[in-house]
Each structure stands twice: as structure tokens, then as C-alpha cells.
Amino acid sequence: MARPKIVVVGGGFAGAECLHRLERRLAPAEADLCLVTPTDYQLYLPLLPHVAAGVLTPQSVAVSLRRRLRRTRILPGGAVGIDPAAKMCVVRKTTGELVNVPYDHLVLTAGSTTRTFDIPGLAEHALGMKTLAQAAYLRDHVISQLDLAAVNGDPVERDARLRFIVVGGGYAGTETAACLQRLTTAAAHRYPRLDPANIEWHLVDVAPKLLPELGENLGAKAMAMLRKRGVEFSLGTSVKAIEPTQVTLTDGRVLPSHTLIWTAGVAASPLVDTLSCDTLRGRLVVAPDLTVPGLADVFAAGDAAAIPDLAKGGDAITPPTAQHAQRQGKTLGDNVAARIRGDVMRPYFHKDLGLVVDLGGKDAVSKPLGVELHGLPAQAVARGYHVMALPTMTARTRVMVNWALNAAAGDDFVRTGFQTGRPARLQDFEYTDAYLSRERIEERVGNGG
């Protein structure tokens, strides 16, 4: 008999962990494993701000999938549509070619994209922080603003280039603002004509408090640390319009700036919209055993899935964090193997271990197992957690060596320039416009491709 084909969509925390588990649980004769992913690495997303700040090299947070997955066939591309009735996944390969990929068991770990709103200029001018390419682009962009400001004789334009705005007061936005603020402050000393005091970082968020997930006390401590370093906060405020050289806030202020970094949350992958299934807050409704109700042999986990949080109870669903996705991947692997063998599947259960926020240098706040920490103890916990969460010893070694080298030798603040001329819009990096409609999927699958 032909081996059942397991197709996993997405090579992030949940997808990579699922396949790693399946390779250990199932013998080669029991299943054919296929991973659909546009890249051949698993991105360790929590350390992207360190890449943008030059503390880590891009390779440090790009964990080789081929190093971890020895039996899995990797199909380079992205799933753009699914036909559950025909058990077919439509994939757009990195060449642009559309192919139909049949499956017996489908695992949806498609992740998320940057959440956006209908704000004039957002799609055209905002810079994101969701992919490795965006982090590299952002670093080049920020350094280029310093280069241009240093040779500009117009004080108005110079001030605009030295004003950086980050939207989003969650983990991504706070860490991005913190790490890049350290970058620009340190880099300014290499520019004789620039005064570090003229560099401004603004963090804007519609919420009334910073890092609300950590509680009022730690959020206030994080704000105090960043304020001491010169970061300005506009909480309870949002963005009204974005133009190439200025940003208008909802409180009426107009901030001249050439840089707006958008980190205002995430939304489930648009792949979810190609399925006729129930959703919750845009995420695919999933049973505790990670199966998708109403779809035979389809599993889902990670940012795109609304999974009941059994540890909290009630109507709570697990937050879209790396901690949960990684552990959901292990349960996914176990349950897919159990389905193939006819064994009992188990529900996903994980009690949150706590949260860490690395603000760069000696600054950090963390809440491991409910214990509130700040400063060096929090930094030790944050970096220790990241090292242990990296999936391979090679990745752990690279990160620790990079941290040590940066602490000892600093940064040279050079621009790579390899993305010069590339469009910088969010959709250009995240391909949010690549997905097919339900009608187009049915037409393609029905016609055989």
C-alpha cells in the first residue's frame, strides 16, 4: 500500500517541531513527509530586533530546516489555497508556478502576517518587522538616515531623518524601538556632524499602557528604562495618516519623519480565508486535539489557529507566541502519528512559563513563572530563555558568540545594500496578495491544475 502523505504548510515553530517529532515517531515506511515553505530555514522571530540592530547576524536566527529534518521533502513555495474535499493543497512555488499537492493528512501551521488597518499611506510607506528580509532592510534604512542627515545642510530635513517612529507597544514594537535606539545612539558617535541628542525615537500605541501583558508594574519599569535613554511615548494615540516625510497622529500632532516602523500586532495568515471554516478573531477554530472541526484529516496550530487554552479554562485561547507554537508542534506530531496508527490523540495543554522582553544592553523586564524581574536579572532570564528555545546547538552557539562579540567589539554600522531598489511595502515582504479565492481554487483543482 502507498504510504500516507503528510503535508505540513509553514516551517515556523509549530511546523518544524511537528515534522521533527514525526520523523522520530514514524518509521520511513509509515508516511511520506512534505513541508511547504518559501524558505529553507526556521526563523527565530523573537530575536529579529537584535538582527535589525546588528547585535546578531541574520544567519544566527535562521535555523536550517535541512539540518533538523533529514527525511522530509521540502517544497520551496507557499500554500495559496486548499480544497479539503479534493484533499488538495495549491502551492505557488518560488518560481511563481502553481502546482497542486495532494495530501492524506494536512497540517496547517501557516503562521501570521502583520496586522494592518485602513490608514492612508500605511500600505505604501510603513516598514515592517516580521521577516528576516524586513529586519535586514530596516537596519540598512535606519543607518542610511544617519548617513543622509550627516551631510544635509537643511536643519528641517536633518531633524526629520533623525526622527524614528515605532507603532505598537507590545513585545515586537518595544524591543524594536529599544534595540534600534541603542544602534542609532552608538552609531552617532561615528558621525562628527551629528549630535546624539538630536536623534528622536517615538513609540506610539493606542493602548493606555506599555506591555500590558506583563502587568502595570513591569510595563512602567520598561517605560522608565526607555525614557532614561531618550525614547518618547505617545500612548492612547494612534496614527491618522502616513506620508513619505511626515506622520500625523490622531491627537493632531504632525511629526516630520522618513521612518515609520509598524508592529501593531499580527493577523492570521490569509490562507485561513481560503477555507470555509469557523474562525475566532480571524484565526481558524481548532479542537483541543488540534484537529479542525468539519475537515477530515486536517490539523492546525500556531498563530493561525484559535486553540483552547486548557490551562486557563473558560473561553481562553492560546496567545500567538513562539512558546505556545513550539509546544503545539510537539502535540501535533504526536497526534498525527496517533491518527495514522489508530491510537488515541491527546489535547494540547501547556501552562505559560512567563514572558521576557529584552530592551538591549543591561535593560530588560521579565516575568518567569509569575516572578517579576527587571534589569540584569531579567536580562539573564531573557537571554537564557532564548538560548534554550533555539532548536539546535549550532544556532545556540552562533547566538551566544554573536552576543559576546558585539559586547566586546561593538558594531561597524555598515549598510549591506543588497536590498537597494527593492519595494519596501509590507505586502512585498509578506506576500499577502498572493492567495487565491475559493472560486479560483475550485476551478483549478476541478480542472486538474
Side-chain angles (χ1 to χ4, degrees):
M1 294 180 64
R3 294 179 299 172
K5 186 169 186 177
I6 302 172
V7 174
V8 177
V9 174
F13 287 98
E17 203 62 51
C18 172
L19 283 163
H20 187 248
R21 199 82 160 187
L22 285 170
E23 288 191 358
R24 295 170 58 190
R25 288 282 186 269
L26 299 177
E30 289 185 274
D32 176 52
L33 305 177
C34 175
L35 171 62
V36 178
T37 175
T39 63
D40 60 355
Y41 60 82
Q42 175 193 340
L43 176 63
Y44 190 76
L45 194 67
L47 289 178
L48 268 189
H50 287 220
V51 174
V55 177
L56 298 176
T57 63
Q59 188 181 14
S60 302
V61 300
V63 182
S64 170
L65 288 169
R66 299 187 191 280
R67 182 185 287 272
R68 291 196 76 200
L69 307 176
R70 302 304 176 89
R71 288 170 29 210
T72 300
R73 179 171 63 93
I74 297 178
L75 177 58
V80 295
I82 296 166
D83 189 332
K87 285 198 167 185
M88 196 74 69
C89 180
V90 182
V91 175
R92 189 185 304 276
K93 296 168 66 175
T94 52
T95 60
E97 175 190 3
L98 287 174
V99 295
N100 292 347
V101 179
Y103 66 85
D104 295 297
H105 303 275
L106 180 66
V107 179
L108 297 176
T109 55
S112 59
T113 60
T114 301
R115 181 179 61 180
T116 59
F117 301 97
D118 189 19
I119 297 173
L122 174 62
E124 294 80 12
H125 307 303
L127 301 177
M129 190 61 161
K130 194 77 172 65
T131 69
L132 194 57
Q134 283 174 315
Y137 186 97
L138 183 56
R139 173 178 168 81
D140 274 10
H141 173 83
V142 168
I143 295 174
S144 73
Q145 298 310 299
L146 301 181
D147 289 343
L148 293 167
V151 297
N152 199 297
D154 181 353
V156 175
E157 183 177 346
R158 183 173 61 246
D159 289 348
R161 292 197 179 279
L162 295 179
R163 184 174 292 108
F164 304 92
I165 301 170
V166 179
V167 181
Y171 306 111
T174 303
E175 290 187 332
T176 297
C179 291
L180 287 175
Q181 183 274 334
R182 283 177 56 84
L183 165 71
T184 54
T185 300
H189 295 290
R190 303 281 182 89
Y191 297 84
R193 298 185 61 189
L194 287 186
D195 182 354
N198 291 333
I199 300 175
E200 297 181 15
W201 281 88
H202 293 255
L203 199 153
V204 179
D205 193 73
V206 70
K209 297 176 183 177
L210 188 71
L211 297 167
E213 301 90 342
L214 281 175
E216 186 172 348
N217 185 43
L218 286 182
K221 287 187 180 299
M223 282 187 68
M225 291 177 187
L226 294 180
R227 275 202 172 113
K228 188 176 180 180
R229 285 159 45 180
V231 178
E232 299 183 22
F233 293 88
S234 296
L235 301 181
T237 306
S238 188
V239 174
K240 183 178 181 180
I242 306 168
E243 298 175 55
T245 60
Q246 66 180 34
V247 175
T248 304
L249 303 182
T250 53
D251 61 8
R253 283 181 294 160
V254 177
L255 302 178
S257 175
H258 293 255
T259 307
L260 182 133
I261 305 166
W262 185 266
T263 62
V266 297
S269 166
L271 184 64
V272 170
D273 297 330
T274 72
L275 293 163
S276 299
C277 295
D278 292 336
T279 59
L280 179 62
R281 301 175 206 166
R283 299 161 67 185
L284 197 62
V285 171
V286 175
D289 62 3
L290 307 184
T291 57
V292 180
L295 298 184
D297 298 313
V298 177
F299 297 76
D303 291 3
I307 299 170
D309 192 336
L310 300 183
K312 292 183 178 178
D315 296 329
I317 60 175
T318 58
T321 64
Q323 182 181 148
H324 277 287
Q326 198 168 40
R327 287 159 178 79
Q328 288 164 7
K330 296 178 181 179
T331 303
L332 271 176
D334 291 341
N335 284 355
V336 174
R339 172 65 64 84
I340 289 175
R341 292 173 173 172
D343 296 335
V344 177
M345 297 188 294
R346 63 185 176 91
Y348 171 73
F349 180 93
H350 171 65
K351 189 173 182 179
D352 205 311
L353 298 177
L355 306 167
V356 297
V357 181
D358 186 339
L359 302 176
K362 300 177 182 178
D363 296 334
V365 290
S366 63
K367 197 173 183 179
L369 302 175
V371 179
E372 294 189 354
L373 301 173
H374 66 278
L376 275 176
Q379 185 64 283
V381 169
R383 298 212 168 178
Y385 172 80
H386 288 315
V387 168
M388 296 308 299
L390 285 161
T392 68
M393 188 57 67
T394 301
R396 294 171 186 173
T397 303
R398 283 200 181 108
V399 165
M400 288 189 290
V401 168
N402 271 244
W403 276 336
L405 183 61
N406 183 267
D411 193 346
D412 285 329
F413 312 110
V414 296
R415 289 181 285 120
T416 60
F418 71 88
Q419 302 217 46
T420 300
R422 173 183 176 142
R425 297 176 304 170
L426 297 175
Q427 72 174 29
D428 294 316
F429 284 105
E430 301 181 35
Y431 306 105
T432 52
D433 58 345
Y435 296 85
L436 304 182
S437 65
R438 286 293 316 156
E439 294 75 15
R440 180 71 181 89
I441 295 169
E442 293 171 1
E443 176 187 348
R444 176 176 175 79
V445 173
N447 292 336

